[in-house]
Structures are given as C-alpha cells and as structure tokens.
C-alpha cells in the first residue's frame, strides 16, 4: 500500500506558464475566471520583450504559507532561446527557484535547462528527475519508422554546470514541504496513455517503452480547496495521475488539473471525460501536447471548468 505523503496545505499557489505551444494575445480579462491573469503587452506594445510559443512545456510554481515561501520550476521548455526570452518577458526572478522537477526525459521538457546556468549563472540548483528520464529515446510514427532520435537528458552535463541531480522513483516532498513530485505513477490500463513505437535505451540495447515509465507530476494542496496537479505530458494517463495524487496525498478534492494531457494520439477519450466528470475538478487547463481536437472537446464538455492556456498566463489559487 502506498504511504501517504504529508505535504503542507498552502495559503496560496501561483502558477506561471513559462513555455507552451500557445502565445495567444487575443484574450480579454472580461469574463475570465477570477484565478486568471493574462500577459499584457508592454506599454509601447512592440518595443518590449514579447513571449515565444514553442512545442515545449515549463511552469513556475510559487507557494506561500504565512510568510514562508517556496518556488519550484516544473520542466524547462524546448529551446534555451525561447526559455530565456520568456523568463525575461515575464520578469521572472529565477534566483528564488528552489529546485526543478523534470516530468520525463523528452527533450521538449528539459532542453532549456542549461540556460539557468549559462544565461543566469545559477549554481547548486537541485534538479529532480526519475532515474529512467536519463535513458536515450527514440520513437516512430508507425511500425515501419523511420525513427526519430531524441536528445538525452545527461546527468553528467547537468552536474558539470553546477546542478545537483536527485533521482526519484517514489514520491518526494519539495519546496519546504509545500509540494510533492510523484515518481512512478501506477497505471490502470483502462486509462493508459500509451505512446506506440517509443523506445528507451538501456544497457541491453533498445526496449519498447509505450508507457514512458519515467513520467511524473507535481501536486500542491491548496488549503480548504483541494489539489492542484501539474502534468508535463500526462503519459501516465490523466485519470491515473489524478487518482494517484488523491491516493498518496490523502486529499480527495481536486481544485485544478493543468498541463499537457497528451490525448491527441488516443482514438477514443470518452472514458476519460466520463471519469473527469466523476472526479469533478473545479478547473481543467489543458496545455502543450493535449492536442487541438481534445482541447476543444474539453472546452465543449466542461465549459464552466475549462481555461485556455497561453504563455505568460498566471493562475492564482
């Protein structure tokens, strides 16, 4: 039986979308949900630093209990240029970051990471990732290939720029006990989110890894309101992630689920929508790899819960 991970319920959680696939500036504050703050153009509209949209993911989580604060970065985007640009565009003080959680070893979630040292001079930063996140990866769109080789998250390279690497297969607390990183997520096959023709390198060569076993999430418990769960790609399966978060935190209420849900490759996601109705999160915020079709299906199925993300959006819970 999984042990309950005691994280401290927080007074406030602030989530900033640093890297995402969408940089829509057409949003207006009228009619937006109260938790949402959108990036505004600089005063001289096109003279300031404007954000980039890229096929990558990064979110900054800032928590507070009384006067005590914590700050954790979840993933680091797909390019150093985009990652650095958006940090500057949003005036993010990266010196307050306690640690970085890499949700899994796909390049669109970690390639910006070296910039924290090279561009901003951070040293001694703790980088948390599943042991298998450091395995080489390749995948194909069909059984006949061709294979695409992905860049590898390299532990020695991270240590060479002064980062401290911690590997977690089991849940761990972080951010002054205000947050948790899940480690390996148990899979209910009814809600699996498989990535066919995906392979992971190991000492014996390549092995099939359709489940992307290193996939993990970060969760925060907002006092009196429930869990906010942040996924990178959701390869573990959206419902598997939510239920595991509930199980290991002991908190049943779900305030928000946000991040990449990777639904676009699944032929029928109706069972996921049904389970989401039963779980009844207050907010559903699909980003990154959810896919155009399923993002719109979520908007139509959950109009009162759905929020469209864009880089620079800040959510305050």
């Amino acid at each position: 039986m999984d042990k309950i991970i005691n994280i401290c319920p927080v007074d406030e959680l602030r989530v900033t979308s640093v890297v995402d696939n969408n940089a829509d500036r057409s949003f207006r504050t009228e009619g937006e949900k109260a938790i949402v703050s959108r990036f505004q153009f600089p005063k001289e509209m096109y003279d300031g630093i404007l954000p980039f949209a890229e096929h990558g993911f990064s979110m900054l989580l800032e928590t507070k209990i009384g006067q005590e604060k914590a700050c954790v970065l979840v993933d680091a985007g797909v390019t150093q240029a985009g990652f650095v640009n958006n940090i500057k565009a949003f005036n993010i003080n990266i010196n307050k970051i306690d640690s970085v959680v890499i949700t899994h070893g796909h390049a669109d979630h970690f390639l910006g990471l070296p910039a924290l040292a090279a561009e901003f001079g951070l040293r001694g930063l703790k980088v948390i990732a599943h042991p298998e996140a450091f395995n080489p990866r390749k995948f194909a769109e069909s059984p006949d290939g061709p294979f695409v080789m992905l860049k590898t998250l390299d532990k020695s390279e991270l240590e060479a720029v002064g980062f401290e690497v911690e590997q977690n297969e089991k849940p761990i607390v972080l951010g002054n006990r205000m947050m948790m990183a899940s480690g390996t997520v148990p899979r209910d096959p009814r809600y699996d989110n498989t990535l066919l023709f995906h392979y992971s390198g190991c000492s014996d060569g390549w092995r099939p890894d359709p489940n992307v076993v290193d996939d993990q999430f970060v969760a925060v418990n907002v006092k009196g309101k429930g869990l906010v769960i942040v996924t990178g790609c959701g390869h573990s399966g959206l419902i598997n992630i939510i239920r595991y978060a509930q199980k290991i935190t002991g908190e049943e209420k779900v305030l928000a689920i946000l991040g990449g849900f990777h639904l676009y490759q699944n032929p029928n996601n109706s069972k996921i929508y049904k389970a989401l109705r039963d779980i009844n999160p207050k907010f559903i915020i699909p980003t990154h790899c959810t896919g155009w079709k399923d993002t719109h299906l979520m908007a139509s199925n959950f109009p009162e819960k759905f929020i469209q993300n864009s880089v620079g959006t800040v959510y305050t819970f």
Side-chain angles (χ1 to χ4, degrees):
M1 183 175 180
D2 292 292
K3 181 181 176 182
I4 296 291
I5 301 297
N6 292 313
I7 53 174
C8 302
V10 303
D11 297 330
E12 181 181 285
L13 165 65
R14 178 183 166 97
V15 181
T16 302
S17 177
V18 183
V19 179
D20 191 24
N21 301 34
N22 182 27
D24 196 337
R25 302 271 69 79
S26 65
F27 293 111
R28 296 293 180 265
T29 55
E30 297 85 0
E32 283 273 35
K33 294 175 175 62
I35 65 165
V36 179
S37 173
R38 299 292 186 181
F39 173 78
Q40 300 299 312
F41 277 111
K43 190 173 182 180
E44 301 298 330
M45 189 170 279
Y46 293 108
D47 289 343
I49 302 173
L50 298 178
F52 292 168
E54 300 183 316
H55 185 86
F57 181 82
S58 178
M59 285 195 172
L60 187 74
L61 278 56
E62 301 172 80
T63 51
K64 182 165 64 173
I65 299 175
Q67 297 303 310
E68 187 176 16
K69 298 178 181 180
C71 181
V72 170
L73 184 70
V74 180
D75 290 337
V78 66
T79 69
Q80 292 189 46
F83 185 50
V84 168
N85 179 84
N86 289 2
I87 286 172
K88 292 178 178 179
F90 309 143
N91 295 312
I92 293 171
N93 176 10
I94 54 85
N95 292 302
K96 62 187 176 182
I97 297 173
D98 305 323
S99 54
V100 181
V101 176
I102 301 300
T103 58
H104 61 296
H106 284 164
D108 49 330
H109 295 260
F110 67 77
L111 282 178
L113 193 55
L116 293 176
E119 180 74 20
F120 300 108
L122 283 189
R123 297 291 186 272
L125 185 67
K126 182 179 287 187
V127 177
I128 299 161
H130 190 284
E132 296 212 22
F134 301 95
N135 291 350
R137 307 298 173 93
K138 67 177 182 179
F139 77 96
E141 294 291 340
S142 70
D144 300 324
F147 279 101
V148 175
M149 301 296 298
L150 300 181
K151 291 190 176 181
T152 302
L153 182 63
D154 191 308
K155 180 174 179 286
S156 61
E157 287 182 2
L158 297 179
E159 291 172 336
V161 298
F163 296 156
E164 177 188 338
V165 177
E166 179 177 342
Q167 301 182 49
N168 72 309
E169 288 185 87
K170 296 183 180 299
I172 60 170
V173 294
L174 57 149
N176 296 329
R177 301 196 66 84
M178 299 185 207
M179 313 181 207
M180 59 142 298
S182 68
T184 306
V185 179
R187 313 295 176 93
D188 180 335
R190 292 175 298 172
Y191 303 109
D192 268 355
N193 196 357
T194 54
L195 186 60
L196 297 177
F197 322 123
H198 175 263
Y199 289 78
S200 181
C202 56
S203 58
D204 297 331
W206 294 100
R207 61 171 170 77
D209 182 21
N211 288 326
V212 191
V213 297
D214 55 308
D215 183 67
Q216 64 176 320
F217 62 86
V218 173
V220 180
N221 189 359
V222 179
K223 190 180 297 181
K225 297 190 174 182
L227 297 173
V228 175
I229 304 165
V230 179
T231 72
C233 267
H235 290 295
S236 305
L238 182 59
I239 304 306
N240 292 334
I241 286 168
I242 296 172
R243 288 180 174 165
Y244 190 52
Q246 292 171 314
K247 182 177 182 179
I248 60 176
T249 62
E251 174 59 67
E252 284 297 313
K253 285 193 293 186
V254 179
L255 176 57
I257 174 77
L258 68 157
F261 300 161
H262 212 278
L263 297 175
Y264 74 94
Q265 289 181 314
N266 291 356
N268 183 1
N269 291 312
S270 59
K271 63 183 181 298
I272 292 172
Y273 301 135
K274 181 180 185 303
L276 270 178
R277 290 189 188 94
D278 293 338
I279 293 167
N280 195 29
K282 186 169 183 180
F283 302 109
I284 299 173
I285 309 170
T287 73
H288 181 43
C289 59
T290 303
W292 186 92
K293 177 182 176 182
D294 279 279
T295 296
H296 284 263
L297 283 171
M298 285 194 166
S300 61
N301 276 278
F302 306 99
E304 299 304 313
K305 301 176 183 295
F306 173 84
I307 301 174
Q308 174 63 57
N309 189 58
S310 178
V311 291
T313 302
V314 178
Y315 306 93
T316 303
F317 303 99

